[in-house]
């Protein structure tokens, strides 16, 4: 679902100098959390140095990871990362097939169990993108997450229509349908969602499944919208008003999906967030009408009074 790996030959990554240039702005904005993502953020040799710099500002750190090197980095993760979210695509065989990495699930499981053995209270969650290749295995994914020892699992549909995640060229219809459930599969998708809701009522109540049953049904609505069966599901999102994305090359965006407002190598983060383009964008953006927002799969709805985040 992600094309970031295709740009690895450019070896773009944030440096200590890059982070130093934005710390003043993060401090001034009372930033609450920094979310470290990739690709795989742990591939950056300076990752834990960057974490230390962020923690010195009393900003919490959340890491999104494939989990492949969690076991090797377990001790430092416990020291410097407040919460870990790992990607999980299926049960063992399916996860390895989708990732196209033999042994990926085993490494993920070993990493999670190592962390839990070292600190049983350390929070590790999973995020699963539900799509054509794995929706029929949804119940097994939940059981695999429990068996692994995860604290929570969340689900979202696949983004197939944006430039996010390093897609220089939008996916054509053929590429989209490698991931989109076929129209004839929609009844099975809805049936699987209803089965998950019926079987795992206790997991919704406990919060092990992060979404509510109502929100889970929106995954069906999202995919059905591609076939004109219903509108794309409405959502509450204030990401462009409470967060910012700084990419590996210094590009600044209001979220993963919208266009760039500037680059930290050319001007300060504070100036970028408050330039005319940024201000006008926030003043005029209507997420119910904006085509990028309507088709968005990820959203953030930070309650009033909470401090902003940088991703």
């Amino acid at each position: 679902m992600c094309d970031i790996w295709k740009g690895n030959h450019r070896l773009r990554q944030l440096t200590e100098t890059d982070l130093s240039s934005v710390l003043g702005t993060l401090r001034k904005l009372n930033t609450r959390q920094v979310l470290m993502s990739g690709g795989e953020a742990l591939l950056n040799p300076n990752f834990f140095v960057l974490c230390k710099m962020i923690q010195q500002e009393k900003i919490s750190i959340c890491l999104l990871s494939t989990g492949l090197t969690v076991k090797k980095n377990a001790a430092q993760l416990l020291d410097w990362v407040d919460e870990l979210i790992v990607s999980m695509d299926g049960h063992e065989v399916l996860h390895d097939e989708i990732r196209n990495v033999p042994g990926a699930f085993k490494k993920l499981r070993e990493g999670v169990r190592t962390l839990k053995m070292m600190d049983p209270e350390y929070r590790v969650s999973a995020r699963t993108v539900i799509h054509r290749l794995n929706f029929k295995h949804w119940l097994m994914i939940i059981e695999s997450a429990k068996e692994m020892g995860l604290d929570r699992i969340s689900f979202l549909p696949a983004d197939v229509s944006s430039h996010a995640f390093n897609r220089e060229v939008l996916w054509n219809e053929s590429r989209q349908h490698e991931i989109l459930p076929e129209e004839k599969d929609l009844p099975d998708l809805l049936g699987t969602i209803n089965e998950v809701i019926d079987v795992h009522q206790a997991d919704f109540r406990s919060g092990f499944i992060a979404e509510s049953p109502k929100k889970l049904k929106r995954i069906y609505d999202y995919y059905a919208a591609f076939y004109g069966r219903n509108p794309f599901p409405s959502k509450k999102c204030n990401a462009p008003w409470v967060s910012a994305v700084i990419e590996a090359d210094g590009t600044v965006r209001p979220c993963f999906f919208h266009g760039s407002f500037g680059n930290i190598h050319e001007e300060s983060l504070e100036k970028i967030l408050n330039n005319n383009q940024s201000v006008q964008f926030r003043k005029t953006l209507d997420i119910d009408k904006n085509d990028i927002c309507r088709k968005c799969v990820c959203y953030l709805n930070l309650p009033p009074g909470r401090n902003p985040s940088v991703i």
Side-chain angles (χ1 to χ4, degrees):
M1 273 54 69
C2 172
D3 288 343
I4 290 175
W5 61 273
K6 293 180 180 179
N8 279 355
H9 62 280
R10 303 173 190 170
L11 296 179
R12 297 181 301 181
Q13 57 190 21
L14 291 175
T15 66
E16 295 174 61
T17 301
D18 294 332
L19 182 56
S20 295
S21 73
V22 305
L23 283 179
T25 300
L26 303 190
R27 188 182 310 118
K28 186 174 182 178
L29 294 177
N30 297 315
T31 301
R32 178 175 60 87
Q33 182 185 68
V34 168
L35 175 65
M36 310 284 269
S37 183
E40 175 54 70
L42 288 172
L43 290 176
N44 187 327
N46 296 314
F47 176 77
F48 291 109
V49 175
L50 302 181
C51 288
K52 183 177 181 180
M53 295 170 67
I54 293 167
Q55 278 209 355
Q56 287 174 343
E57 299 294 332
K58 302 188 184 305
I59 299 171
S60 71
I61 298 171
C62 179
L63 169 64
L64 301 184
S65 174
T66 62
L68 293 175
T69 64
V70 165
K71 182 179 180 179
K72 181 177 72 173
N73 293 293
Q76 292 191 89
L77 286 168
L78 292 176
D79 285 340
W80 300 113
V81 174
D82 298 286
E83 181 179 1
L84 175 64
I85 301 174
V86 295
S87 298
M88 185 174 178
D89 292 315
H91 53 73
E92 185 165 1
V93 173
L94 182 60
H95 179 86
D96 289 0
E97 287 179 355
I98 292 174
R99 290 270 146 184
N100 196 26
V101 179
F105 186 93
K106 181 180 179 180
K107 291 179 180 179
L108 171 59
R109 180 173 56 206
E110 289 177 348
V112 172
R113 289 180 174 176
T114 298
L115 286 171
K116 288 296 186 178
M117 181 177 63
M118 296 173 69
D119 183 357
E121 300 302 316
Y122 187 74
R123 190 169 180 80
V124 187
S125 305
R127 178 175 293 174
T128 298
V129 178
I130 293 294
H131 49 76
R132 178 180 180 179
L133 303 176
N134 65 4
F135 81 85
K136 294 180 181 179
H137 303 268
W138 205 325
L139 291 171
M140 292 183 67
I141 293 172
I142 296 171
E143 291 308 313
S144 295
K146 288 183 175 181
E147 185 267 341
M148 189 178 290
L150 293 163
D151 295 291
R152 188 175 70 165
I153 187 166
S154 65
F155 302 99
L156 72 162
D159 169 50
V160 299
S161 60
S162 81
H163 281 288
F165 314 114
N166 203 45
R167 292 181 194 147
E168 295 180 357
V169 178
L170 288 176
W171 284 3
N172 59 30
E173 186 173 348
S174 175
R175 180 70 177 95
Q176 288 182 354
H177 281 276
E178 292 177 18
I179 300 300
L180 283 174
E182 295 183 24
E183 187 170 12
K184 65 180 179 62
D185 290 331
L186 290 177
D188 287 342
L189 172 60
L190 184 57
T192 299
I193 292 173
N194 287 331
E195 187 176 10
V196 168
I197 293 171
D198 182 57
V199 171
H200 288 279
Q201 293 181 28
D203 292 319
F204 286 104
R205 289 194 297 269
S206 70
F208 180 77
I209 296 177
E211 290 77 21
S212 66
K214 182 179 179 180
K215 190 172 179 182
L216 218 60
K217 287 184 177 181
R218 292 178 185 170
I219 295 178
Y220 168 84
D221 293 335
Y222 175 81
Y223 285 127
F226 280 94
Y227 300 101
R229 294 196 173 196
N230 51 250
F232 283 95
S234 61
K235 61 181 70 69
K236 293 181 179 180
C237 177
N238 57 9
W241 293 273
V242 300
S243 69
V245 173
I246 303 175
E247 296 185 346
D249 64 353
T251 297
V252 177
R253 301 176 184 273
C255 68
F256 284 111
F257 300 89
H258 283 283
S260 169
F261 287 162
N263 192 293
I264 60 171
H265 296 148
E266 298 170 2
E267 58 182 338
S268 73
L269 177 62
E270 183 176 5
K271 287 184 177 180
I272 293 170
L273 296 178
N274 290 291
N275 64 29
N276 289 335
Q277 181 186 2
S278 299
V279 172
Q280 282 301 116
F281 176 82
R282 292 191 293 269
K283 281 184 176 181
T284 60
L285 178 62
D286 185 336
I287 66 169
D288 291 325
K289 296 179 180 178
N290 182 276
D291 194 51
I292 291 175
C293 292
R294 287 194 311 108
K295 296 181 180 179
C296 184
V297 299
C298 301
Y299 51 91
L300 174 68
N301 188 33
L302 207 62
R306 297 289 292 275
N307 292 329
S309 302
V310 171
I311 301 173

